[in-house]
Amino acid sequence: MSSTNRRTRVPRRTAMALAGVSVVAAVAATAPSMANAVSGSSGGTRQAVTRTQNTETASTAPNLRVKAAGGVTYQYRRFGRPTANSVPLVFFQHFRGNLDAWDPKLIDTIAAEREVILLDNVGVGGSTGTTPSTNQQMALDAIDFIDALKLPRYDLFGFSLGGEVAQEVALRRPWQVRRVVLAGTGPQGGVDQRATDPDTLQRTLKDNPGPEDYLFLFFKNTPTSQAAGTQFLQRLGQRTTDHDAPTSLTTRDHQLTAWSEWGITDTSKMVRLKSLFQPVLVADGESDILMPAKNSHLLAKYLPNARLHIYPDAGHGFLYQYAVKFGTEVNTFLDR
């Protein structure tokens, strides 16, 4: 499929920088004000959730805001179907990704059976503050957000860079984190996590990448995977109001520093994973060029209680290529 055809078939608002940088960057500049009032109290947040928990979808859930003890105001979306046997599932996004970069089909598949919370961490999208340059500080920032929502118990879903943050949160809050999903990510000190291919780096660091860059980075170079990638980009156009703010180039640079430090090969770092005792679902695409699947194998090797699933004919965006299948697998895993 040519780049020209991709541009024709993909809605303009879904053009994203790198791994889902800022979706709808042009629209975000004129996005309407937040649908819900800012609330620093758990009571205000819960009222908003009660209104929307069974009716909103990934494409319609409003942007919510909460101010944490450290002074940062976090933007997030909270919706889904809470049940007596489930806890909220908190999502940590990939490099340069904001709230709009999640696949509606994946999120709605998961939200059909549980409550989901999508987060813009510090300095990302509509959240205030400056994005830190280490995954460890990003994890502490995420914990501040969780504390602001007063969540006593929760599950974690981390994709790519977000999976690195999820590992750190689980290690720091073992009494709160129940189960963990790690998608397209790797352990600190893993192998080949620092991209050196010139084409991959150039597309990753573009100030304004297009859909063709995203298809190259996230989907395998086969007709089936590329077609699935185009369908995913089209799904991002389902959201027509209340867009998230675009991710800044400062956030890109700080996140890249954190990702690069994490990826320095050092097998001694992987011993830490033996302390992450919670059940973990590890998954990736077999042809991931951003986070080679060998790192998922390392996670499964060092984590005491891990299940591994490598998806065929797929790259970094396997979870969007197999949105319903992977979403169903996540729900089954979390319900065990």
Side-chain angles (χ1 to χ4, degrees), residues 4 13 43 61 67 82 109 177 186-187 191 233 252 261 276 293 316 325:
T4 301
R13 70 167 61 90
K67 189 171 183 178
T109 298
V177 177
V191 294
L233 291 174
R252 175 200 66 184
E261 180 185 12
L276 204 166
H316 199 58
K325 184 174 182 179

Side-chain angles (χ1 to χ4, degrees), residues 203-225:
R203 292 174 184 271
T204 297
L205 299 179
K206 273 186 181 180
D207 287 357
N208 297 292
E212 67 278 7
D213 299 305
Y214 195 95
L215 291 171
F216 174 88
L217 291 167
F218 269 39
F219 297 88
K220 188 175 180 179
N221 187 25
T222 63
T224 51
S225 187

Side-chain angles (χ1 to χ4, degrees), residues 267-318:
T267 55
S268 68
K269 298 286 188 183
M270 285 181 265
V271 176
R272 300 172 70 243
L273 293 173
K274 294 189 179 297
S275 295
L276 204 166
F277 57 80
Q278 298 94 330
V280 182
L281 172 62
V282 180
D284 199 0
E286 49 92 6
S287 296
D288 189 338
I289 62 173
L290 290 175
M291 182 62 68
K294 63 181 74 174
N295 289 287
S296 290
H297 286 278
L298 285 172
L299 284 170
K301 176 182 177 180
Y302 283 92
L303 288 166
N305 190 5
R307 300 177 57 197
L308 176 65
H309 189 170
I310 303 298
Y311 282 78
D313 186 37
H316 199 58
F318 78 95

Side-chain angles (χ1 to χ4, degrees), residues 48-305:
V49 173
T50 300
R51 287 197 301 269
T52 64
Q53 61 188 10
N54 289 319
T55 60
E56 300 293 349
T57 68
S59 299
T60 63
N63 294 326
L64 305 174
R65 308 187 86 192
V66 64
K67 189 171 183 178
V72 171
T73 297
Y74 292 85
Q75 184 158 285
Y76 67 103
R77 294 173 187 159
R78 184 173 186 174
F79 59 101
R81 185 172 178 266
T83 68
N85 298 322
S86 68
V87 299
L89 178 60
V90 183
F91 285 72
F92 299 150
Q93 184 59 290
H94 58 65
F95 175 55
R96 298 181 77 174
N98 63 8
L99 298 177
D100 289 341
W102 290 108
D103 185 348
K105 181 180 285 190
L106 171 70
I107 300 301
D108 287 342
T109 298
I110 297 173
E113 296 189 15
R114 66 196 64 254
E115 185 176 29
V116 300
I117 301 174
L118 313 181
L119 168 66
D120 271 344
N121 211 342
V122 173
V124 177
S127 292
T128 64
T130 300
T131 302
S133 296
T134 68
N135 288 333
Q136 290 76 16
Q137 184 57 52
M138 291 180 199
L140 294 174
D141 292 338
I143 288 172
D144 284 347
F145 165 75
I146 289 166
D147 287 348
L149 292 189
K150 296 179 169 55
L151 301 181
R153 191 79 163 152
Y154 48 89
D155 295 326
L156 296 177
F157 185 116
F159 175 31
S160 194
L161 177 70
E164 299 167 4
V165 175
Q167 292 171 54
E168 292 296 312
V169 173
L171 286 167
R172 285 167 168 74
R173 288 293 179 93
W175 64 92
Q176 289 184 328
V177 177
R178 190 184 69 103
R179 287 175 178 259
V180 183
V181 179
L182 299 177
T185 191
Q188 185 177 16
V191 294
D192 297 336
Q193 296 188 61
R194 292 148 61 94
T196 57
D197 174 70
D199 196 13
T200 299
L201 283 172
Q202 184 267 341
R203 292 174 184 271
T204 297
L205 299 179
K206 273 186 181 180
D207 287 357
N208 297 292
E212 67 278 7
D213 299 305
Y214 195 95
L215 291 171
F216 174 88
L217 291 167
F218 269 39
F219 297 88
K220 188 175 180 179
N221 187 25
T222 63
T224 51
S225 187
Q226 289 292 300
T230 299
Q231 292 166 9
F232 157 66
L233 291 174
Q234 291 171 336
R235 291 197 294 272
L236 293 184
Q238 293 174 7
R239 189 175 186 91
T240 58
T241 62
D242 207 14
H243 291 289
D244 197 5
T247 301
S248 71
L249 297 182
T250 297
T251 288
R252 175 200 66 184
D253 295 342
H254 288 193
Q255 288 183 341
L256 184 63
T257 298
W259 197 355
S260 296
E261 180 185 12
W262 183 271
I264 297 172
T265 301
D266 182 354
T267 55
S268 68
K269 298 286 188 183
M270 285 181 265
V271 176
R272 300 172 70 243
L273 293 173
K274 294 189 179 297
S275 295
L276 204 166
F277 57 80
Q278 298 94 330
V280 182
L281 172 62
V282 180
D284 199 0
E286 49 92 6
S287 296
D288 189 338
I289 62 173
L290 290 175
M291 182 62 68
K294 63 181 74 174
N295 289 287
S296 290
H297 286 278
L298 285 172
L299 284 170
K301 176 182 177 180
Y302 283 92
L303 288 166
N305 190 5

